[in-house]
Structures are given as C-alpha cells and as structure tokens.
Amino acid sequence: MQALLQSLPSSLHLTLLKTSKTYNETQQFHAFSLKTNLINHPGISSRLLSLYVDPDINNLHYARSIFDRIQNPTLVLYNLLLKCYVFNQRSHEALTLFRDLLDGFLLPDNFTLPCVIKGCARLGGVEEGKQIHGLVLKLGFGLDKFVLSSLVSMYAKCGETDSGRRVFDAMDDRDLVSWNCLIDGYVKKGEVEVAMKLFDEMPERDLFSWTCLVDGFSKCGRVDVAREIFDSMQNRNLVSWNAMINGYMKSGDFGSAQELFNDMPIRNLITWNSMISGYELNGRFREALQLFETMLRDDVLPNVATLVSTLSAVSGLASLNKGTCIHSYMFKNGFAVDGVLGTLLIQMYSKCGSIEGALTVFRAISKKKIGHWTAMVVGYGMHGMAEQALDLFNKMCSTGLKPLGITFIGVLNACSHAGLVDDGRQYFDMMINDYDIEPTVEHYGCLVDILCRTGYLEEAKIIIENMPMRPNTVIWMSLLSGARNHGNKDIGEYAAHHMIEVAPETIGCYVVLSNIYAAAGQWDKVSQVREMMKKRGIRKDPGCSSIEHRGVLHEFVVGDKSHAQANELYSKLNEMHKKLKAAGHVPDTTQVLLCIEDEKEKEAELENHSERFAIAFGLINVKAGSPIRILKNLRVCNDCHTVTKLLSGIYNREIIVRDNSRFHRFKDGFCSCKDFW
C-alpha cells in the first residue's frame, strides 16, 4: 500500500481517503480509486463501503457493488452491510446476507445478532427469529443486554408475547427499550391489563410508554381509562393526542373528540384524517365535509386517506355539488384516479344520482382494475340499468379479469332491481360453478331479494331454511318486504317472527308488519304491533326528503310548514294537485296506513308526503333543464311513485329520487325502475 501511495499525488489521495464525508466527495474518492486500481486494496474498499452505508449517504447499491469485489470480507464489513439492508427496509436480503456470513464460516457477534433479529421482526419471521435465538444461546450471547432486548422486541412485534416475556424475565439488566417493546406487544394483542401492570412496574418511563397505553385503551374502547392516563401525562406528543381522538370517535363521543381537537397545540395530517374518518364512519357526513373544508382553508394538504373518507361522506349525503367540487380539487392537484380514488369517484357519482359522471370517470381510467369495473356494475344496477350492468360485467370477463365475490353482489343486485329472476339464478350458479366462489350470506341475501321482489316467496323461504349459515337481518327483511308487496300475510308473519328473534330492535320489521296488517284492514293487529313498539321504546323514523340547492341542503318532513318558502311551496303543491287530477290521477289510498275512514283525509295524507314538498321546491328553484335530485330516507310509496312519474311528464322535468334502497330516474312520465322496486 505504501508503495502505491508513493506513486500517486499523496496530498490529493490522503485528503480523499481521510476527509470524504458527502456523497459527491465519496463519489470522487470512488472514481479516483477505480482509475488508479486502488479499489482492490482492502483498506480503500473498506473505507468506501463504510462511507456508502453511512445514513447520511446511504447508497446501498454502491455499497453492495464494493462488497462483492472484496474476496474475503471481514465480519465488520458484513455487519456494516447488514445494518444498511435493515435500515433500508430490505430485511429479506439482510437475512440472505446473514446466511452467506455463516456459510463463510464467520461467527456473528453482538452487533450482527441484534441487526438480523430486527430484520426478522420487520418481516414477521418469528420462526427464523427462533432459529437465531437458538444460535444466540449456542454462541454464548444469552446474557448480552442488546441481543436479549432485540429478541424481546422481535417476539413482541410478531405477536408471541409469552416468548418475549420469558426472555424479558431472564434479563438481569433490562433497558427502557425492552420494557416498551413488551408493553407495545401486549397492547397490540389487546392485553391492555397486562400492559398496564407491566407499566406500573417500570423503574422509569418515557413518552412512548405513556402513549402506548393511551393508544391501547383507546383502541379497545376503554376511553375513560385512556383519558385518565392521558391526563396524567406531563408531556404529550401528537401520537397521544391522536390516539385519544381515535378512541373518542370509535366510542361515538364526538363532542369530546372535537374538544380535544380544538385544544391541541399543534395538529398533523393524521389528526385531521382521524376526525374526518371518524365522522364519516359514524354516519356524520356533514361534519366530515365541514371539517374537510376547514382543513383546506387552513392550508393543510389532504392525502389519499383524507379523500377516501371525504368522498365516502359525499356519497352518504348524495351531495353532487360537493362531490364535483372535490373531484375538481383532485384534478387540479394531481391526484391519480387509477386506484382506490377512481373506485370511490365512480361510487360517489353513482350514489349522487349522476350515472353519467360515474361513466365519465370509469372511461377516463386507462388501466382499469377489478374495483373500477365492480363499482360501475353496482352503479348501473343501483340506477335500474340492469342491461348495461350485465353487459359491462360480461365485457369485464372477456378482458380476462376474474370477478370477485363483491363483483357478483353488484351483478345480483342489478338483477334484483330489474326483476331478472332467471338471470339472477344463472349468475348465482355461475359464481359457484365457473369461478369457484363460495357464496356468502350477502350473496344469499341478493338471491333471496330477487326471488322476493318477483313473488317467488316460497322458493325464497326454502333457500333461507337451507342456507349453510344463519340468515341475517337483511335476508329476513327481504322476505318480510316481499310478503308485504305481494300481500302474503302468512309469510310476512313468519319472517317478522324470525326477524324479531334475531334483531328485536330493528324498527323496519315492526313498521312493515304493521303495514301488512293495515293493508289487510286488520287494525287490531296494527295496534298490537304499535303497542309492542311502544313497550320496547322503538319509534318509527319519520319520512324525510332533502334537496340540495346552491350548496344548501333543504329538508322536508310530512306536512312541513317550517320552510322559509312555505307559502310558495303550498301554492305549488295546489298547482301540482290540479294538474295531476286533470291528467287523470286517482290517489292510491291503500298506501295510507292509518285508520282513517274518510277518503278525502286519506288523499290529503298522501299529498303531505315529504317528497312532494321536495319536488315542489325543485320546480320552484331548480332552473329548467337541470335535474331535480331528491334524497329520501324511506322507501318511495306506490302513490308517490306514480305521482312523480306523472309530474316528470307534466312539467317536462327529470326527477331523480334516491330512496333507502335504490335510485328512481323519472323522465317523460316513466321511471328507470320500470315500476319494479
């Protein structure tokens, strides 16, 4: 080496050798070594390797290329490269390198072992970790604090807290990392009481120790305990604040979550996402959207997770105006829609009544995945466009994509909403026989719904009785609703009995059973059902229809007189009544499910249904040529369905109504559901 150095410009070479620290300087040193053939000298190659694996430079590619040129790498060099692999989240390659180390008859030391054990932990490779644990004992490192601490961490992260505890208990010198790793392992397994006991035994604690417990108790729903720990913390970090907010949101305590959110000294994107997703998952869609708008005003940039929750909230509200604004924001800010966001946009437009918008998004996605196809199939089915849904499904299959179970749910729902009973049976069999998909309770629910809607109640009853799993509330409600629609009181009572047995708190069950008795004129049994509801504290949800206009949501209930335009609305309702009468409409008073003798009173009851007010508002305020979009919380009754068809023709307006199960697109006196819903 000395002879070589003497033949070179010593000042330049020594400067490069001793002082290279930055990436550019290291590359100069590397290039110089290659040109002068000094790269093959052990001292030079070792220095280069150590520079490239340094976290400030961290060039694993060059580090490995230099390592591979060294004929007999030392344990130190193996250790340097192992650490770099683990640092770069390439633990599998670290374990492969470790195997090479052993094959080269080198013995790992107390630097090597913690590194490869950490790699096992990151991979979830508990079996590999156990093998290395055995090697630890054979090599005499069973008392090394750092090796044992890494084993505790590995077992805890892999969910084997019992093994981790045995290692922990055998340690004479336990560091804070070991305590925290074991506590974290217990928390992740849901064993928060054990974690708390260990926490109480700790000789010292840090912020991680406290935060771990707050997070654990919050996630398991014990927010009262989590709050006590949170309040006891002298210093709180963002993780602890976010954990408490998540806990409150999960338990439905929105007030406490919002209070904490307002009190936070500093927030990050996770904080905003926790609040928005919490509101959305709990059905508080307006609050979710309001918070999203506040977030943008505060110049906080959303990420994909934010937009996932926000688009879902828009879908829940069926607010097309807000949905298009968010879509525009995504486009302007370069969010790609070829993944989950594309699927959610298709769903959003479909649920907001714009199947055209959904189709535009679908067509714009160049590399369509199964989720995009499924969302579009479901959207078509939801809008009563069964033919388009099935055509799209068949086109998807022809591209070579294999449908999933959820895809068939979309197909079966499309058949259900269009009354395609034979097609429904065929696709159900295709799912099992052609694609080897085992039907879930949801698939059986779709098939039962198809049969019940088309009047095959006995066949539906047989399928329910022979299902390989217990029928859920959706299935019993399908049978009950089918019995009401087809006037089968016996099957209705049968379904209601089972429904009450499975979910006695379900309001719809009592309402539909009451409707069956009312339609049959059995008012004594109607009274019995209502008395049962009263005793159980169950109240029927009042009918409510809403319409969005210029960014404001207007809500209407039966006989509404509270709206600012009440006088105009009643004037328009009177006009609508006259035009309907002139068109030959005869009110279907069988839809009045109250014990009223006078036909005029029954007609007045129908005219006061909430969607009539929403339609009147739309006719007054929504400009001609634009669809009137209405969201209704209950199923559209037969008379309102007939009335809306007539009004769409009388006023030459497209009226889109989303009830609690599907969309109805009324235009030119017809409905997209073809009078089947």
Side-chain angles (χ1 to χ4, degrees):
M1 178 63 180
Q2 189 64 32
L4 283 169
L5 288 176
Q6 288 175 351
S7 66
L8 297 168
S10 59
S11 59
L12 174 61
H13 184 266
L14 290 173
T15 299
L16 290 171
L17 180 63
K18 294 178 179 179
T19 64
S20 294
K21 290 182 179 179
T22 66
Y23 182 62
N24 286 336
E25 290 171 346
T26 302
Q27 282 200 311
Q28 289 174 22
F29 178 29
H30 192 179
F32 181 78
S33 301
L34 287 169
K35 286 180 180 179
T36 58
N37 207 31
L38 281 170
I39 189 72
N40 295 319
H41 189 281
I44 302 296
S45 57
S46 297
R47 173 61 177 161
L48 271 172
L49 179 61
S50 65
L51 286 169
Y52 278 128
V53 299
D54 187 282
D56 291 334
I57 296 177
N58 189 33
N59 191 313
L60 183 55
H61 174 73
Y62 281 143
R64 183 67 202 232
S65 68
I66 291 169
F67 181 85
D68 289 340
R69 296 177 68 111
I70 301 172
Q71 290 187 353
N72 296 301
T74 63
L75 180 61
V76 172
L77 298 181
Y78 269 106
N79 286 346
L80 287 172
L81 194 56
L82 278 169
K83 184 179 179 181
C84 194
Y85 270 125
V86 174
F87 180 80
N88 283 280
Q89 309 291 329
R90 293 169 68 171
S91 298
H92 187 273
E93 288 157 286
L95 293 183
T96 302
L97 184 66
F98 178 67
R99 185 190 60 195
D100 294 341
L101 179 155
L102 297 176
D103 290 344
F105 301 104
L106 288 173
L107 293 177
D109 60 11
N110 58 352
F111 183 94
T112 322
L113 293 167
C115 194
V116 292
I117 292 169
K118 185 176 183 180
C120 292
R122 288 189 173 174
L123 290 171
V126 70
E127 293 305 319
E128 291 81 358
K130 287 178 178 178
Q131 291 177 32
I132 296 172
H133 189 176
L135 186 61
V136 165
L137 298 176
K138 288 179 181 178
L139 295 176
F141 290 103
L143 297 176
D144 187 281
K145 178 174 70 172
F146 298 108
V147 174
L148 294 179
S149 181
S150 64
L151 282 169
V152 172
S153 176
M154 183 273 295
Y155 282 123
K157 287 179 179 177
C158 292
E160 296 214 4
T161 48
D162 290 343
S163 298
R165 186 59 184 264
R166 283 194 291 272
V167 175
F168 179 83
D169 289 340
M171 293 174 66
D172 293 327
D173 185 12
R174 300 164 185 156
D175 59 8
L176 183 58
V177 174
S178 302
W179 287 90
N180 283 341
C181 286
L182 195 55
I183 287 174
D184 187 47
Y186 281 125
V187 163
K188 283 184 169 59
K189 285 190 71 176
E191 298 179 33
V192 289
E193 291 294 348
V194 182
M196 186 70 177
K197 185 178 179 183
L198 199 63
F199 176 83
D200 291 336
E201 296 172 4
M202 291 181 75
E204 61 173 319
R205 303 163 184 145
D206 63 2
L207 198 52
F208 181 88
S209 319
W210 289 91
T211 303
C212 198
L213 279 185
V214 172
D215 186 49
F217 280 103
S218 292
K219 284 181 177 175
C220 72
R222 296 177 62 182
V223 287
D224 51 343
V225 180
R227 187 57 189 263
E228 286 179 16
I229 299 168
F230 180 80
D231 290 339
S232 300
M233 295 174 67
Q234 292 183 346
N235 298 302
R236 301 174 187 134
N237 58 4
L238 266 171
V239 178
S240 58
W241 284 90
N242 291 341
M244 272 312 315
I245 286 173
N246 274 324
Y248 278 129
M249 279 297 185
K250 186 177 179 181
S251 66
D253 188 350
F254 313 110
S256 295
Q258 187 68 55
E259 185 180 323
L260 276 181
F261 180 81
N262 295 337
D263 291 343
M264 290 180 73
I266 187 170
R267 306 178 186 119
N268 63 1
L269 185 56
I270 294 173
T271 316
W272 290 93
N273 286 350
S274 297
M275 290 292 294
I276 293 170
S277 65
Y279 277 130
E280 186 274 320
L281 290 170
N282 284 281
R284 314 273 291 215
F285 305 128
R286 284 187 209 167
E287 288 95 329
L289 292 179
Q290 287 168 359
L291 202 59
F292 176 72
E293 290 165 0
T294 303
M295 175 182 172
L296 295 184
R297 285 196 298 271
D298 288 357
D299 293 324
V300 180
L301 297 177
N303 62 5
V304 171
T306 322
L307 293 169
V308 165
S309 298
T310 306
L311 287 172
S312 297
V314 171
S315 297
L317 274 182
S319 175
L320 182 60
N321 179 56
K322 292 189 184 298
T324 51
C325 288
I326 293 168
H327 188 188
S328 176
Y329 175 87
M330 291 167 58
F331 179 78
K332 290 176 182 177
N333 289 275
F335 283 94
V337 296
D338 53 351
V340 66
L341 289 180
T343 300
L344 286 168
L345 278 171
I346 294 168
Q347 290 175 348
M348 181 274 290
Y349 278 113
S350 298
K351 290 183 178 181
C352 291
S354 176
I355 198 67
E356 300 83 7
L359 191 57
T360 300
V361 174
F362 178 78
R363 286 172 173 166
I365 299 171
S366 55
K367 294 182 179 180
K368 298 177 181 65
K369 300 184 176 77
I370 187 67
H372 304 129
W373 291 91
T374 298
M376 198 64 228
V377 168
V378 171
Y380 273 137
M382 190 188 304
H383 284 262
M385 304 168 74
E387 183 179 343
Q388 292 91 329
L390 299 183
D391 284 346
L392 191 68
F393 173 78
N394 292 329
K395 185 178 179 181
M396 181 200 79
C397 294
S398 69
T399 66
L401 278 174
K402 184 179 179 181
L404 305 173
I406 192 172
T407 318
F408 276 102
I409 288 176
V411 170
L412 293 170
N413 271 327
C415 294
S416 177
H417 286 154
L420 303 176
V421 63
D422 290 334
D423 290 282
R425 293 187 184 111
Q426 175 190 333
Y427 282 110
F428 190 85
D429 291 340
M430 176 195 294
M431 176 182 71
I432 299 169
N433 300 324
D434 294 356
Y435 293 99
D436 199 28
I437 296 174
E438 187 175 343
T440 64
V441 69
E442 287 80 14
H443 293 111
Y444 278 105
C446 292
L447 181 60
V448 166
D449 193 53
I450 295 170
L451 296 170
C452 290
R453 286 174 185 265
T454 49
Y456 292 88
L457 298 177
E458 290 294 342
E459 183 181 345
K461 184 171 176 283
I462 291 170
I463 287 175
I464 292 171
E465 290 172 345
N466 289 281
M467 282 171 54
M469 70 284 291
R470 187 181 183 187
N472 60 13
T473 56
V474 174
I475 289 175
W476 289 120
M477 276 303 297
S478 292
L479 187 61
L480 181 58
S481 298
R484 175 193 60 187
N485 295 340
H486 296 282
N488 193 318
K489 184 170 69 71
D490 292 339
I491 286 187
E493 289 177 327
Y494 167 83
H497 169 75
H498 285 281
M499 182 71 182
I500 292 171
E501 193 177 79
V502 171
E505 75 287 348
T506 305
I507 298 171
C509 171
Y510 301 95
V511 173
V512 175
L513 183 60
S514 175
N515 292 353
I516 290 172
Y517 288 139
Q522 295 181 310
W523 297 106
D524 55 333
K525 291 193 174 182
V526 171
S527 298
Q528 288 174 17
V529 173
R530 291 181 178 173
E531 186 63 29
M532 190 189 305
M533 291 174 68
K534 186 177 179 181
K535 285 181 180 178
R536 298 185 178 186
I538 298 170
R539 297 183 64 183
K540 178 182 179 292
D541 292 332
C544 177
S545 296
S546 59
I547 179 171
E548 186 180 27
H549 180 60
R550 294 180 179 173
V552 178
L553 194 69
H554 299 264
E555 292 184 319
F556 302 95
V557 294
V558 174
D560 204 330
K561 295 183 180 179
S562 62
H563 197 270
Q565 292 180 276
N567 291 334
E568 292 177 76
L569 289 173
Y570 275 94
S571 175
K572 180 60 73 173
L573 284 169
N574 186 49
E575 176 190 299
M576 288 160 54
H577 171 73
K578 290 177 181 178
K579 291 187 180 242
L580 286 166
K581 192 171 182 180
H585 172 60
V586 178
D588 182 3
T589 55
T590 62
Q591 298 298 300
V592 179
L593 302 171
L594 298 172
C595 190
I596 300 174
E597 297 292 337
D598 188 87
E599 285 296 314
K600 293 290 182 184
E601 288 185 45
K602 288 185 177 181
E603 291 180 18
E605 177 69 24
L606 288 171
E607 290 170 9
N608 279 331
H609 280 191
S610 63
E611 55 262 60
R612 312 266 181 121
F613 286 90
I615 293 170
F617 177 89
L619 292 172
I620 294 169
N621 296 285
V622 179
K623 67 178 182 180
S626 297
I628 297 171
R629 302 176 188 276
I630 297 168
L631 177 65
K632 182 174 170 63
N633 67 329
L634 304 176
R635 181 181 181 272
V636 174
C637 77
N638 289 355
D639 189 65
C640 285
H641 192 268
T642 302
V643 163
T644 310
K645 280 198 302 180
L646 289 169
L647 291 174
S648 70
I650 291 168
Y651 288 96
N652 191 29
R653 299 296 295 269
E654 182 179 11
I655 304 172
I656 301 173
V657 180
R658 171 180 158 186
D659 67 10
N660 65 356
S661 66
R662 62 166 300 153
F663 274 95
H664 300 266
R665 299 169 67 90
F666 300 94
K667 191 174 182 180
D668 300 326
F670 297 94
C671 179
S672 59
C673 76
K674 301 180 178 63
D675 298 338
F676 182 87
W677 79 99

